[in-house]
Amino acid sequence: MKLGNMKNADSSFQIIHGAQDKTILGITDNHQLSHQHFVFIKNKIFLQDWLSKESNIGSTGLVIEKSYFESLTAELNYEIS
């Protein structure tokens, strides 16, 4: 499936960063990271676990819960100012 087609499955899905034509092969978790798959991040624990992985996380996409994403954005804006 192309990343841009995810909106067909869930209209609330928003692409913040990444190419719409990127191919997604499936969903995975932090224990079995796979190339061209994505993981769900719902809070700081999941994000820190994902960031701690030594494998090539650059080829793994993230789906971040909106409320957590907004809190990250607010935190980053506060730290920058």
Side-chain angles (χ1 to χ4, degrees):
M1 172 186 284
K2 297 293 183 190
L3 181 60
N5 293 340
M6 291 292 294
K7 287 189 89 68
N8 296 338
D10 184 344
S11 62
S12 68
F13 185 81
Q14 295 177 346
I15 300 172
I16 304 298
H17 179 75
Q20 299 243 352
D21 64 342
K22 196 162 203 92
T23 300
I24 302 296
L25 299 177
I27 303 168
T28 190
D29 62 16
N30 282 347
H31 303 289
Q32 298 178 349
L33 294 177
S34 300
H35 179 67
Q36 291 183 307
H37 283 64
F38 63 85
V39 297
F40 290 97
I41 303 292
K42 67 178 186 175
N43 59 37
K44 188 175 185 175
I45 295 169
F46 285 89
L47 181 59
Q48 287 177 330
D49 182 47
W50 182 77
L51 290 170
S52 73
K53 302 299 177 188
E54 294 181 12
S55 62
N56 182 8
I57 60 175
S59 66
T60 306
L62 297 180
V63 175
I64 302 175
E65 187 172 297
K66 185 177 181 178
S67 60
Y68 181 57
F69 181 79
E70 289 170 347
S71 74
L72 285 173
T73 302
E75 186 177 320
L76 287 174
N77 286 336
Y78 176 77
E79 289 179 11
I80 292 171
S81 60

